[in-house]
Amino acid sequence: MSHSPKEDVLSEFLTKLNISAKVFGLPSVCGEWQINTNGVSPMQFHLVARGSCYLHMHHLDAPMPLRAGDLIAVMHGDWHVLNTSS
C-alpha cells in the first residue's frame, strides 16, 4: 500500500474496518484528577490532546506515562484509569 504525504493512513485503516464510535466526553482538567470509563463500551480510545497523565492497568508493572499526542486503545473493557498520579 503506497500513500502520499497528504493521505491519512490511520483514517483509511479505520474506514476499511468499518468501525463506528461515539464521543462520550471531551474533558478539560487541571490539578489532581482521575478518569474511569470502565464499562462504557467494549473498546475505548483515549487521546491526550494537551498536558500529560498516567495510564493505570492491572497488567502493567507500573503506570504508563502519556503525553500530548498519545492515543491509546483499551480492548475488551479492560480495567483502566487515567490520572495525574504515578
Side-chain angles (χ1 to χ4, degrees), residues 3-75:
H3 297 280
S4 72
K6 292 184 178 183
E7 292 181 27
D8 181 349
V9 177
L10 179 59
S11 292
E12 182 179 334
F13 174 74
L14 293 175
T15 299
K16 288 184 181 191
L17 289 176
N18 199 23
I19 293 175
S20 64
K22 295 178 184 175
V23 176
F24 288 101
L26 297 170
S28 180
V29 294
C30 63
E32 291 188 30
W33 56 268
Q34 176 172 303
I35 297 175
N36 178 342
T37 59
N38 296 310
V40 173
S41 66
M43 183 173 184
Q44 298 178 32
F45 295 91
H46 297 286
L47 171 66
V48 180
R50 288 186 302 224
S52 61
C53 63
Y54 292 90
L55 170 66
H56 299 261
M57 295 184 82
H58 287 304
H59 70 275
L60 295 176
D61 292 332
M64 177 186 297
L66 301 173
R67 59 189 168 101
D70 286 343
L71 172 68
I72 60 165
V74 179
M75 309 293 279

